[in-house]
Amino acid sequence: MAKFVIAGKANCPYYAKAELLADYLQKNLPDFQIFKITQHPDVWEEWLEDVCEKNKWDHNTSPIIWRELLDRGGKGLLLGGYNEFLEHAQLYYGVTSSMTTDLMMVVAKENLQALEEEVLEKEVLKDLINPLQVWVASASANSCYHLIPLLISGEVFGMHTDISLTLFDREQKENSLKSLVLEVEDLASPILHSVSFCTKTEGAFLRAQVIIILDDSTDEEVYTLESCLRSRVPLCRLYGSLIEKNAHESVKVIVGGKTFVNLKTALLMQYAPNMAHNIIAVALGVEGQAKATVARKMKTTSSSIKDVIIWGNISGNNYVDLRKAKVYNYESAIWGPPGYYHSVLSLIFDSQWIKKDFVRTLQNLSNTGKEFGGILAAHSIATTLKYWYHGSPPGEIVSLGIMSEGQFGIPEGVVFSMPVKFENGTWVVLTDLEDISLSAQIIKRLTDDLIQEKLVAFGDVLTFQPVQEEHEERIQPHKDLNEEKDEAASDEMVTSFHVFFTLQTPREKMSISSNFCQIKCKGIETVNKLLAAPHPSSFRCEAFRRKHGFISSYKDCLAICPIIPGNQ
């Protein structure tokens, strides 16, 4: 069987004559097949050059005709142009063409018109698909590599929603973004309509319907908490203005990560006021850490723990509330039907663990970012988006950072993590929950921390002063639970130690700000742990730095620190 490929410019009269001759041969010869490739004149030369380079051919006119070896495999055999094809037809099949020049020109014109109509039709059909426009900012972040497979799996937006994914970052990250785009294309997701990248700020978030803000990476080393806070303002100002200008009017903006999540959310709301009602902060990562810590203590799975509430600053001072926490499928003396649960506080008899070890574990995770890597950040963002589109599990409490409207006695205008549920494409604050009120002291402590972050970020306050904790009962105990457990569950649950990260090559180091010395455990134990870290010289106390520079040993701290017992 003979198969010939005939390719040419749409407006080429010799291509028109060659294809009509080939049509005649295919119609009258049972073993003669043709395949046509019609290219627009604007792209013909580039296409021809690529084909000839790939096959090691030498040809530079329209049309180009080659024969495919169907019975042998391998690359095709170049026949040549129109004259060579006409000679082949006369020699092997005794057929020639008598088409006039005028007719050749008419057919060539019709070919070009038909091609342009076909291209236009494809564009119209493509627009009818109308995929969901999803943008990921700071797409070079590690969490993005874990997030993308979740977004295009169909679990988040549904298997019937096509996605157009755009990765946005700085121009310096262009090569990384190109590589990431190729990897995403290799996944061959059935719901991925297209994937691209953007490094030009003027085109960022164009027609975006979902925007995911990840932790922004920086090549600059930042040594103080205050300078790190202030560096959020110009970036969020830029993002906010772009969202206002370019994004879809119903855009959903979700802020995730492990650094200054509440602050970035508040700044985006300020600089994109028309979209502020659809900007939220992800708290499920911290909630997941708390559930896993409780599950390890109870020797069960973290998925069995439900309704842990995170109050306050997601990536700073927060209150982990176990008063509504439940454990399902727990092996104990009392069993029940499917859906039966126990109160977590009723099963943990070690009040000292709740009062000290549980708080210290979560505080250390928050301070160091340990175990809050790309996987956890990506999963918490994807799950929050899934709930936003499809609703959260019925009866389940979800922690979410949103703008306060005075619920639970929280001051208005503060981005605060609180209990919600998702339904009908939005969230509802669970103000009807019983026995979850917070004392005025706790609310003040949490809100003061958030307000101070914003004041420092704008330069209204020069130095961040961590809120001092008061050793008092913070929540009135429940009357129906053991009093000792309730005191333990409510006491010392607010973390008060701020840490920020700077990524350096080739290793990640941590810089600690002026509140290094304000550790709740009074210094000695934590200082020893910090200075035993792989890079003790990367930790520094602001008060010590002003006089001596980097801390090089624990003796340096011991000599100057007024917090450590025995020092004045």
Side-chain angles (χ1 to χ4, degrees), residues 116-362:
E116 291 176 343
E117 291 176 353
E118 182 183 355
V119 171
L120 182 61
E121 183 180 359
K122 288 182 178 179
E123 290 295 327
V124 172
L125 291 175
K126 187 176 180 181
D127 291 339
L128 290 176
I129 296 176
N130 195 23
L132 184 69
Q133 299 292 329
V134 180
W135 284 70
V136 181
S138 299
S140 62
N142 179 52
S143 55
C144 186
Y145 288 80
H146 302 281
L147 176 62
I148 291 175
L150 298 176
L151 295 178
I152 63 177
S153 66
E155 290 292 326
V156 176
F157 302 108
M159 289 302 299
H160 301 291
T161 301
D162 289 327
I163 297 173
S164 178
L165 180 65
T166 307
L167 309 177
F168 175 61
D169 213 319
R170 296 169 296 155
E171 290 186 11
Q172 296 90 324
K173 302 294 183 180
E174 183 170 336
N175 290 334
S176 299
L177 295 180
K178 287 181 179 178
S179 299
L180 184 54
V181 166
L182 293 177
E183 285 192 66
V184 175
E185 290 175 340
D186 292 343
L187 293 176
S189 169
I191 67 170
L192 182 63
H193 182 262
S194 64
V195 57
S196 59
F197 70 91
C198 175
T199 58
K200 305 296 184 183
T201 55
E202 60 271 13
F205 309 138
L206 189 63
R207 299 187 300 275
Q209 294 168 282
V210 176
I211 299 176
I212 302 169
I213 308 293
L214 303 179
D215 284 330
D216 53 292
S217 58
T218 177
D219 296 327
E220 299 178 1
E221 186 174 2
V222 183
Y223 284 106
T224 66
L225 173 64
E226 291 77 13
S227 60
C228 194
L229 284 166
R230 285 190 284 270
S231 68
R232 304 305 98 182
V233 176
L235 183 67
C236 291
R237 183 188 296 119
L238 173 64
Y239 283 0
S241 63
L242 291 171
I243 291 171
E244 281 276 304
K245 177 183 176 183
N246 295 337
H248 192 276
E249 60 182 6
S250 63
V251 63
K252 292 177 168 63
V253 183
I254 184 166
V255 183
K258 61 183 179 182
T259 56
F260 308 116
V261 176
N262 293 58
L263 174 64
K264 290 188 290 187
T265 304
L267 292 175
L268 287 173
M269 290 178 175
Q270 178 173 335
Y271 292 118
N274 294 324
M275 314 295 185
H277 62 286
N278 263 0
I279 303 178
I280 61 175
V282 177
L284 288 185
V286 181
E287 185 180 311
Q289 289 179 324
K291 290 178 178 178
T293 304
V294 171
R296 284 191 287 269
K297 175 66 177 178
M298 301 182 70
K299 295 181 173 56
T300 186
T301 60
S302 56
S303 62
S304 300
I305 308 297
K306 305 291 183 182
D307 297 348
V308 174
I309 303 174
I310 306 298
W311 299 91
N313 192 345
I314 297 167
S315 51
N317 276 1
N318 52 57
Y319 184 95
V320 180
D321 193 344
L322 298 180
R323 288 173 295 173
K324 292 294 181 181
K326 306 177 180 68
V327 56
Y328 291 81
N329 304 319
Y330 189 69
E331 296 184 6
S332 65
I334 301 176
W335 284 72
Y340 179 79
Y341 62 85
H342 297 274
S343 167
V344 166
L345 292 179
S346 68
L347 295 178
I348 299 180
F349 299 97
D350 187 354
S351 61
Q352 290 302 310
W353 180 84
I354 299 179
K355 185 176 181 180
K356 295 182 179 179
D357 294 346
F358 177 61
V359 176
R360 186 181 299 116
T361 298
L362 295 180

